[in-house]
Amino acid sequence: MKKIVILQGSPRKNGNTDLLCDEFIRGARENGHEVEKIYLKDKNIHPCVACDYCRSHEGNCVFKEKDDFEEMIQKVIAADVLVISSPVYFYSLTAQMKTAIDRFYAREQEVKNKAAYFITASAAPTEEYIQTAIAGFRGFISCFENVNEAGIIAGCGAAEKGDVTEMTAFKKAFEMGKTLN
Ligand SMILES: Cc1cc2nc3c(=O)[nH]c(=O)nc-3n(C[C@H](O)[C@H](O)[C@H](O)COP(=O)(O)O)c2cc1C
């Protein structure tokens, strides 16, 4: 049994990435894994202010007692599998996701030994158009010790909520959840 944490960076509940997450979860639960999906849109996470307080205070952020990041990062640290879910916004990730990512600055040493997945969706029709967003995911996970890419699920050509249900990415999400080991 693996512990899976999904950071869901879309502001749209039941949108395309959210539906892909739910298929991934359905597959993973069928296989006996434990999954938690965290909606970043519902969390109060202050952007990193680059004060470097964490560098001289054992990774404690100035916002540690003031917002929801600490609770979230504890779950990420404890997880075997980390799923980054964000639609493509201006060739990149959403503000909600990027804000959370920047706060990992204080905790880079503690995030290690995980499989990492990227779940995304875009209005653009093919993966060719979303390489910059994929590079954002890859750059992020490259910062941590033994955090390795395990899969990418991309619903390209999805603009309206629900478009993704007709796509092969929808089946792929279930299969990747189910075959996760
Ligand atoms: C602010 C904003 C920026 C977007 N930028 C892009 C983009 O650069 N490329 C693209 O293909 N789609 C872009 N889209 C479309 C979304 O990626 C697409 O609608 C996706 O299915 C949304 O996923 P969600 O339903 O999980 O939120 C953008 C949408 C918004 C609201």
Side-chain angles (χ1 to χ4, degrees):
M1 192 274 288
K2 296 264 159 94
K3 271 192 189 165
I4 305 166
V5 167
I6 301 179
L7 302 185
Q8 168 53 316
S10 171
R12 284 210 292 197
K13 195 160 197 271
N14 302 322
N16 292 311
T17 49
D18 213 21
L19 292 166
L20 293 173
C21 285
D22 288 346
E23 282 302 286
F24 185 89
I25 291 169
R26 200 165 65 81
R29 287 198 175 133
E30 265 194 23
N31 210 6
H33 301 305
E34 187 185 290
V35 195
E36 181 174 4
K37 179 169 64 175
I38 300 171
Y39 284 101
L40 298 180
K41 72 178 182 66
D42 296 334
K43 298 293 174 191
N44 171 27
I45 299 178
H46 198 288
C48 173
V49 293
C51 63
D52 270 356
Y53 178 92
C54 58
R55 294 296 190 252
S56 54
H57 292 82
E58 294 165 347
N60 289 308
C61 177
V62 273
F63 300 111
K64 187 173 179 181
E65 313 292 337
K66 300 191 175 80
D67 71 12
D68 297 332
F69 185 77
E70 183 61 27
E71 189 190 348
M72 190 201 90
I73 194 71
Q74 289 299 344
K75 290 175 179 171
V76 170
I77 289 166
D80 306 297
V81 178
L82 174 63
V83 181
I84 296 297
S85 172
S86 169
V88 177
Y89 272 19
F90 286 96
Y91 287 85
S92 185
L93 307 176
T94 62
Q96 289 84 350
M97 181 56 74
K98 188 58 169 59
T99 302
I101 281 177
D102 287 352
R103 288 287 295 281
F104 278 65
Y105 182 72
R107 312 300 284 270
E108 265 179 72
Q109 312 304 321
E110 291 168 79
V111 176
K112 54 180 112 169
N113 307 328
K114 298 178 200 315
Y117 290 84
F118 184 43
I119 292 181
T120 190
S122 65
T126 65
E127 285 198 25
E128 192 185 327
Y129 296 90
I130 67 162
Q131 290 304 311
T132 45
I134 292 172
F137 161 74
R138 289 185 172 147
F140 171 59
I141 64 167
S142 77
C143 297
F144 310 107
E145 188 186 328
N146 197 30
V147 174
N148 302 310
E149 181 176 323
I152 292 180
I153 299 156
C156 297
E160 302 306 320
K161 267 185 168 180
D163 281 353
V164 86
T165 56
E166 305 299 323
M167 296 179 181
T168 52
F170 197 66
K171 292 185 192 75
K172 186 176 171 184
F174 176 76
E175 287 306 321
M176 276 206 174
K178 190 156 183 187
T179 55
L180 182 154
N181 53 43

